[in-house]
Structure formats: C-alpha cells, structure tokens
Amino acid sequence: MCGIVGYLGKKNTKEILLNGLKELEYRGYDSAGIAVLENGNFSNFKAVGKLVNLEEKTKNYSTDGFSAGIGHTRWATHGKPTELNAHPHVGQSSYVVHNGIIENYAKLKKELINDGIKFLSQTDTEVIVHQFEKNLNSASNTFEAFSKTISELDGAYAILLVTKSQPDTIFFAKHGSPMLVGTNNESEQYFASSDTPLIGHCNEVNYFEDGDYGYVSSNNITIFDKDKNKKEPIFSKLSQNKLSAQKDGFRFFMEKEIYEQSDVISDTLMGRLDDDEIIFNELDKKIFDDINEIKLCACGTSYHSAMSASYLFERYSKIRTSLEIASEFRYRNPIMSKDTLFVVISQSGETADTLETLKMAKQAGLKTLVICNVDNSSMVRLADYCILTRAGIEKGVASTKAFATQVTIFWMLSLYIAKLKNSLSVDEISKQISLLREIPTHVKVTDDMHERIKRLSKRYLHGHGFFFIGRDIFYPLALEGALKLKEISYLHAEGYPSGEMKHGPIALADPELFTIALLPQNLLYEKSKNNVEELSARDSTICAISSKEFDKADDFIQISECKDYMLEFFEMMIVVQLLSLEISARLGNDVDMPRNLAKSVTVE
Ligand code: M6R
C-alpha cells in the first residue's frame, strides 16, 4: 500500500527520500515519485515500476542546501499505475502526496473543473492540491488554506503538502492512514508511514493520531487535533537498532523469512513458558473475567491463523469462539455483547478493515486484544491489550513468519486461558508446553526437504487448479497453503475441508486437478485418507504431505514422525510455503512483490 516520506533539512534530500521509500517498498507499490522545493523552485521526478527507475531518473539531480521534500510509493486505487497518476501531484505552486482514499473526490473535482482547473491525473489525490490552492486565494495565510482543505475532505488519508507560499514548511494531516514525524538534534524533520525510514536519522518520534493536522518547520512542530485544539507532540524514543532486512544470501526475502521461522518462533516463546503455565506479562488476567466468547477478526493470512485459533480455543480453553472476516464484519451490523473478548490479528497493525473493526468493538465497549507484529502500529496503540508476535520485519508480501508466530501465540494463549478456566489438567498443560518448546526444531528447513520440493515443483506449473485439503486445524492450513500459492504463482488454488470435497468440488477431479493433501498421523488420519482416496479414484493428481507414505498419491513429501498434531501442523506449514515459493520461482514471478498485491492494505 502507498508509502509516504518527507524531509526538511540541509542534508541530501534526494538520497533521504529515496532511501526512505526503499524502506517502505515492502508495503507494495507500482510507481513512485519525489518533489523537492529548494531556493523557491520545485524539482519533481516520477517513475512507473520499481524504485530503480526513479533512481535512474534522478541520477543527475542533487540538493545542496536547505530544502523541503516529499516522496511517495503508489499502489494504484484510482487510475492505472502511470507516471501521470504517480504522486506527488502538482498544482500551480504546490505538491502533495497522499496515502488513503478521498471518498468525496468526485464532487470536489467537478467543482474544481467548473472553476476552470485542469486535472492531469485520474487520481482522487489531485483534488487535494487544487482545493488547497483554491482556498489559498481567499485565506489570510497558508495554514488557514490547508486547514480548510483538510476539513473539506472525507475518507482516509495521510497527507504531506509543500508549497511555494511557505517554502520552509511541510504541511501534514492524518486520518485513518498511518504517519509519524521524527526529529533529531540537527533541527531536521522526517516524516514517514512507518518507523523504518526514520531509524538511524531520528532519536524521537511522534505518531500522529487520527484527526491530527498541522505544519512542521525546521525548529517547530505544530499539531492540531480533530477538534482544532492545539496539542503538543508526544515524543517517544526511536530504537537505533536497525534490523538488517537484507536477503542474507537467500534468493528472496520470502525464502529468508521461511528459514528464519525457527529463530523467530524461539523469540515468540522466549520468557513466556514456565513448566506448567504460560506467562503473558502484557495481559491482565482479569480480562477474561465475565468473558463467555472470544471473537477473532482479521484479513488474509491473519484470518487463517485466527481460524487455527478457533480450533485451539474450543478444544483446550473450552471457550466459545467465533471468527470474522474484517471487511464483512464492518458492514453487517453485528451484535456485539460485552461478554465477548474482541481479538484482532494483524501482521502490520495497519490493515484498514481490521483496524475499523477494532474501533467498532471499542465503541461498543468490548474488551479488546490485538495480536500484532508491529509495535506502535495503529492497532497496538488502540487495543486495550496487545501481544506482540516478535517475528521481526516481514518484507515478503506473502506472509510466512508472521503466520507461524501468530499460530504459536494462539497455541500459547489457548493454554493460558485453559489454566485460568481449569479446562485442562496441570499435567496436560505441562505436556503442551513441552510440545511448544519443540516447534523451533520442527520448523527448521533441511536441505533434503528443500531439494525435494524444488524438484517436485516442476510438475506443478500448469493444470486447471489446485486444491489444498485438510481436516480440523489442517483446514486453515490448507487455506493458507492455497493463498500462498495463488498470491505468488498466479495459479488458481483453493483451500477446502477434506470431507467437503465430495459435496461438489470432486466434480472437478481429473489428472489436471492437483490435490495437495495434508495427512497428519496424529489427527483424523483415517478419515482424511479416505477423502484423498476418493479423489485418487477419480484420477486427480495427488501430492500427499505426511510422515507416512501413502500409496494412492502420485507424489509424496515426507515430514518427520511427530509426537503431536500441532508439530505436524508446523512441519506441513513449511512444506506448503516452500512449495509455493518454488513454483513461483520456476514460473519466473516476482516472489517478494507479486503483482497487484500490497504488504500493508491501508485502504478498505
Ligand atoms: O497486516 P495484516 O496481517 O493485517 O494483513 C492482512 C492481509 O492483508 C495479509 O495477510 C495478506 O493476505 C498477505 N498478503 C498474505 O500473504
């Protein structure tokens, strides 16, 4: 999703903006641009595609004094990914960048066109700069024109605007899309959509709240809140410990992140396991008082981990659990009762649909908890309680280690609640905790396993579709396997409960239908096997994933003998992740930044 950077200072503005945008690449984008105001003149560059194209265009450009610059990576919503549609958007003497959607742009655009304004792009964003310049004609000062403009916008936005009418200033507004400002001892000011571009430059940062707007000059940050009251920035320290997110010799970030899962899960578990209880210092045990239901709400991969949690919570914690897709939940006038703990799950903590459901739950007076990977993200700041997954920066658009750590947290949380509710014996909890300790070993990628999957992948590059099938908690894993494959291979794939195939999808069975069958030894093996046999009898091409060879399968990927179905779950997770990666790599796709997708979906 779009990324924003801004800089005010005397250093090399171009480099700072481009490097900042690189740090935001993981959010997904299809074009990029910068605009810099120096000595009263603007320089503006835009390019479609990857940032190298923008670097190429700016290679002969540099700044050598004080300047105000803004930059943007665009993920197309209104209008195709073209240079004209790329940000920053220009008026007579101002430039703007924007992340989000201006819902009333059509009305504003019509009025501006009637006033004689010529639009260059198809975007919703361009109205902001023209509306601002229109207001500037009648306002007594630049900020008055900017504030009026913001009050006229409906929708979600993070906005930066630079104008010749006040050249030493960057104007900003935030509502619904993330943005922060950082500063240092050198009177420099940095803006960005997330912390990463600011690490190494700023020692303290202020995260804007929804409704905040104002302006920043080299020695001043002026913020107003949604009620137009002036407020002081609330600075927090920014870690200087920049996590190196390089590929470390792997072909893709996704591959590196699959291999990292053993280490990050160790981090997820660290300090949280005692012999017979789970420790979540970040929770207050009282949150479970008077709670009769847990409602889990998320999107995409995070939704799949939530679905895994629903099996664990009902099985171990004996608590009624319901599951919601955030984009559906938002608009269906759901019943929200106060005996429900509302849990949102998000890698980024910024997904617009999920964030909105969290706001709804808070408004309805429910207790809220977020399971999240990004500290200080919007959801983390909003929820009553937060458990961080500690997966580290995930750069691959296709989520892997975020999912693994989310499921780990949920397994722990199910035992934490089981202890509170006495729904499992102390012995059983201790046994489960010792299984949890084994996950890092089971998710280590072996050369043999990776080599086998790499070789097998060449047989799965065509066909009219894939079905990933599993039962019980292996059904959400099947959904996740199918999502991974379609995201990065662009092949059609579906996740299905094994027992449900005979109620319709089996009609598709033929040698060109590839079935990826999850066959755990420790959970419903015979039942799952029967379902796969039904498909095999109808000549579907079967790839079985199991610890035990299965003679009805065309291909077989062996996992190790595991003590428990959850350890089989984690081993199979590695297999489906690697299978998708290798198929995508063979097809020559951009594994880390698949077409049409964004890492952080901050529009609804
Ligand atoms: O940051 P979130 O976990 O809230 O993101 C939710 C989905 O957009 C995300 O999981 C998406 O489905 C990924 N591309 C999956 O690989």
Side-chain angles (χ1 to χ4, degrees), residues 32-174:
I34 59 168
V36 180
L37 181 57
E38 187 187 16
N39 297 327
N41 291 315
F42 270 112
S43 305
N44 168 230
F45 303 89
K46 296 179 181 195
V48 173
K50 297 279 143 75
L51 279 172
V52 283
N53 302 338
L54 186 61
E55 278 171 339
E56 180 60 25
K57 286 204 165 180
T58 56
K59 69 173 183 231
N60 298 322
Y61 167 70
S62 63
T63 50
D64 61 0
F66 179 86
S67 56
I70 53 179
H72 190 266
T73 45
R74 173 173 187 254
W75 186 75
T77 55
H78 295 72
K80 287 191 179 311
T82 61
E83 263 187 41
L84 278 180
N85 287 335
H87 303 211
H89 287 287
V90 64
Q92 294 290 320
S93 56
S94 323
Y95 275 90
V96 72
V97 291
H98 160 228
N99 171 15
I101 289 180
I102 305 301
E103 286 170 357
N104 59 337
Y105 88 101
K107 177 176 165 281
L108 294 173
K109 187 168 177 173
K110 200 166 160 208
E111 289 164 6
L112 288 161
I113 289 172
N114 287 341
D115 293 344
I117 301 295
K118 297 237 169 336
F119 277 76
L120 299 173
S121 76
Q122 302 155 307
T123 65
D124 53 336
T125 302
E126 197 182 342
V127 297
I128 304 171
V129 70
H130 296 308
Q131 191 69 17
F132 163 74
E133 293 192 338
K134 175 179 167 181
N135 290 333
L136 199 54
N137 290 330
S138 54
S140 57
N141 61 52
T142 313
F143 182 55
E144 188 183 306
F146 182 74
S147 330
K148 181 159 193 290
T149 308
I150 296 307
S151 69
E152 291 164 337
L153 304 178
D154 292 338
Y157 47 77
I159 292 170
L160 295 181
L161 182 141
V162 180
T163 176
K164 285 186 184 175
S165 73
Q166 199 167 317
D168 57 349
T169 302
I170 295 180
F171 295 88
F172 65 85
K174 187 254 189 241

Side-chain angles (χ1 to χ4, degrees), residues 441-454:
T441 313
H442 285 269
V443 295
K444 282 213 163 85
V445 182
T446 63
D447 288 349
D448 282 356
M449 163 77 80
H450 197 162
E451 211 30 59
R452 166 130 186 87
I453 293 172
K454 209 179 262 177

Side-chain angles (χ1 to χ4, degrees), residues 464-468 479 481-486 489-495:
H464 59 70
F466 285 75
F467 270 88
F468 285 69
L479 287 170
L483 179 66
K484 285 294 82 84
L485 185 68
K486 64 187 146 204
S489 73
Y490 319 143
L491 295 168
H492 181 73
E494 278 189 63

Side-chain angles (χ1 to χ4, degrees), residues 14 53 179 226 250 295 340 393 403 456 466 469 510 533-534 575 587 604:
K14 177 190 88 175
N53 302 338
M179 189 162 60
K226 60 178 185 332
F250 289 98
K295 198 176 265 306
T340 301
I393 293 173
F403 174 77
L456 266 186
F466 285 75
I469 60 169
D510 69 16
E533 275 171 8
E534 287 154 13
V575 173
L587 292 170
E604 68 168 312

Side-chain angles (χ1 to χ4, degrees), residues 487-507:
E487 280 186 296
I488 59 175
S489 73
Y490 319 143
L491 295 168
H492 181 73
E494 278 189 63
Y496 235 76
S498 308
E500 189 65 14
M501 291 298 285
K502 58 186 171 295
H503 297 290
I506 204 166

Side-chain angles (χ1 to χ4, degrees), residues 351-480:
T351 301
D353 286 321
T354 312
L355 181 58
E356 198 50 43
T357 65
L358 177 58
K359 289 180 187 164
M360 286 164 67
K362 289 221 48 148
Q363 212 149 34
L366 271 59
K367 292 182 191 163
T368 57
L369 166 67
V370 58
I371 312 297
C372 192
N373 193 35
V374 181
D375 199 2
N376 285 320
S377 58
S378 301
M379 287 182 219
V380 168
R381 282 179 280 127
L382 190 64
D384 299 327
Y385 298 93
C386 158
I387 301 178
L388 291 174
T389 48
R390 305 178 182 163
I393 293 173
E394 189 179 61
K395 288 228 171 190
V397 165
S399 185
T400 50
K401 59 179 182 167
F403 174 77
T405 51
Q406 287 168 349
V407 177
T408 305
I409 292 283
F410 280 130
W411 189 0
M412 284 194 275
L413 192 57
S414 69
L415 304 177
Y416 179 91
I417 304 170
K419 171 104 180 175
L420 287 179
K421 294 199 163 292
N422 280 325
S423 56
L424 282 185
S425 69
V426 177
D427 283 355
E428 182 57 29
I429 292 178
S430 300
K431 186 187 135 212
Q432 293 281 330
I433 290 175
S434 58
L435 292 170
L436 273 163
R437 292 186 201 280
E438 291 188 34
I439 311 174
T441 313
H442 285 269
V443 295
K444 282 213 163 85
V445 182
T446 63
D447 288 349
D448 282 356
M449 163 77 80
H450 197 162
E451 211 30 59
R452 166 130 186 87
I453 293 172
K454 209 179 262 177
R455 253 183 302 118
L456 266 186
S457 63
K458 63 176 174 289
R459 312 235 283 255
Y460 293 91
L461 306 177
H462 59 288
H464 59 70
F466 285 75
F467 270 88
F468 285 69
I469 60 169
R471 275 177 173 262
D472 200 277
I473 197 167
F474 291 84
Y475 166 46
L477 182 59
L479 287 170
E480 177 58 9

